Amino acid sequence: MMKGFTTKAVRYGENTCPVTGALTTPIYQTTTYAFETVQELRDVLEKKSEGFVYTRAGSPTQKVFEEKVAALENGESAISFASGMAAVSAAVLAVAKKGDHVITNNAVYGSTYHLFAEMLPGFGIEVSMIDVSNTRELEEHLKDNTKLIFYETPANPTMNLIDIKKISKYHPLSMVDNTYMTPYLQNPLDLGADVVIHSATKYICGHGDALGGIIVSNAEFIQRVRPILRDFGAALSPFNAWLLIRGIKTLSLRMDRHCENAQKIAEFLQKHPAVKEVYYPGLKNHPQHNLANKQMRGFGGMIAFEMNSYNDAETFINSLELCTLAVSLGDMKTLVQHPGTMTHAVVPGEKREKIGITDRLIRISVGIEDVEDLLSDLKQALDKIESSRTT
Ligand code: PLP
């Protein structure tokens, strides 16, 4: 009965409470669970019976969220975290130990870049940061001790795509950060990837009011991650789990609108004389438009575009009246930011340029407002740049 994406998003893993009849999953706002006997508590700890012991290791509200996302990603199992970065770091540490080698795409979210560039080498893990879409470069970097290939597709913020099917054929585990696409628009596990990660803070939440992260994979991999959640301790709170369950129910409706608005905005930006280049996979001239059509079910709500100079970029952002200057993405409100000095400021300057994060680059997370209002705000801000040039 639960075949469709939205049916699963609304109903999967949630039953009416048999005691009270409550329709909505309750927030189990408790840190610990009480038992009658020592044996009962030990049985749960030793996995001989179902139950919960301590909220850092799991709670009924987290479990509903995990089961729902696993179902939407067509995965066997999932584990949730306090943030997307907690999920990314736990997934990597579940695979790579001192002496191992890992590969990551060089265009990734700023903190993920820093995790690979600075943190992992500090733990004795060797890291290669390359263009994963270039399979020749990838093959040159593969070694016997390479444990994983990590990437985002589309990449934050450049909007470059990576062919999931192609990369999944290589022997190390392939891990895809699917935050930009969400399970509604792309299912990496179906294309052969081993592990999917989300910053649930973004589209899954959708309301800009809760941090969260989640890893989806097979049951064996999720079991490997559990001790990291337990010992590093970045547990999702029951309240945030509840907010994420609420958010994900409307994911498909919101994503349809994000996609529709973003396509219109990308086409508008492409025609405006103040804009030099637009990066959006829904545009026919995006170099990987065909790949987007193959592996994605929509082009998403994220756009990157380049102005002619840093000054133009700053003037444009400062001139916006409706769109909001803020980092983060996936909110119902349209958010605009400058990756080079904000989300990706931790990437060293010369590396940023090489990856394509120039000082002229702007990122828009297109919201679900009426697109005419968004277009008129963007137009008035861009027109200011054009008119300052002619006066
Ligand atoms: N992955 C991607 C693609 C992101 O854009 C972000 C944050 O912007 C993260 C992971 C980290 O998520 P969080 O802020 O929930 O830790």
Side-chain angles (χ1 to χ4, degrees), residues 6-17:
T6 308
T7 310
K8 284 192 218 164
V10 170
R11 291 181 170 272
Y12 195 90
E14 293 189 82
N15 298 313
T16 306
C17 174

Side-chain angles (χ1 to χ4, degrees), residues 34-77:
F35 291 83
E36 291 291 326
T37 67
V38 169
Q39 192 58 50
E40 280 171 7
L41 196 159
R42 286 185 52 183
D43 282 350
V44 176
L45 276 180
E46 290 161 18
K47 310 254 177 289
K48 290 182 188 146
S49 65
E50 293 253 322
F52 300 93
V53 173
Y54 189 59
T55 293
R56 175 153 46 75
S59 86
T61 323
Q62 289 162 10
K63 189 164 182 255
V64 168
F65 174 59
E66 289 163 355
E67 287 180 351
K68 211 185 263 293
V69 179
L72 296 175
E73 278 291 11
N74 302 323
E76 235 171 61
S77 189

Side-chain angles (χ1 to χ4, degrees), residues 83-85 109 112 152 156 177 179-180 199 201-202 211-212 329:
S83 70
M85 282 319 299
Y109 168 59
T112 305
E152 302 166 357
N156 180 359
D177 181 333
T179 302
Y180 261 40
S199 164
T201 313
K202 317 299 183 199
L211 290 170
L329 60 106

Side-chain angles (χ1 to χ4, degrees), residues 212-271:
I214 190 152
I215 303 172
V216 187
S217 185
N218 57 46
E220 186 267 326
F221 184 83
I222 298 303
Q223 274 312 112
R224 272 161 80 185
V225 181
R226 283 209 179 278
I228 297 174
L229 173 63
R230 190 195 58 211
D231 299 349
F232 282 50
L236 181 64
S237 74
F239 183 47
N240 280 4
W242 183 85
L243 287 170
L244 299 176
I245 294 166
R246 184 196 58 174
I248 206 168
K249 289 180 178 159
T250 55
L251 182 66
S252 61
L253 309 179
R254 288 184 281 107
M255 290 317 293
D256 283 342
R257 179 68 166 244
H258 284 297
C259 292
E260 198 184 307
N261 282 0
Q263 184 73 36
K264 287 185 182 147
I265 287 173
E267 285 169 12
F268 159 78
L269 290 172
Q270 205 171 31
K271 286 192 204 118

Side-chain angles (χ1 to χ4, degrees), residues 168-223:
S168 303
K169 297 215 168 87
Y170 292 94
H171 77 266
L173 279 190
S174 62
M175 250 179 217
V176 181
D177 181 333
N178 201 25
T179 302
Y180 261 40
M181 280 291 97
T182 81
Y184 181 58
L185 298 179
Q186 177 172 272
N187 294 118
L189 299 179
D190 291 350
L191 300 169
D194 300 291
V195 181
V196 174
I197 302 165
H198 287 278
S199 164
T201 313
K202 317 299 183 199
Y203 290 108
I204 287 180
C205 173
H207 295 65
D209 50 16
L211 290 170
I214 190 152
I215 303 172
V216 187
S217 185
N218 57 46
E220 186 267 326
F221 184 83
I222 298 303
Q223 274 312 112

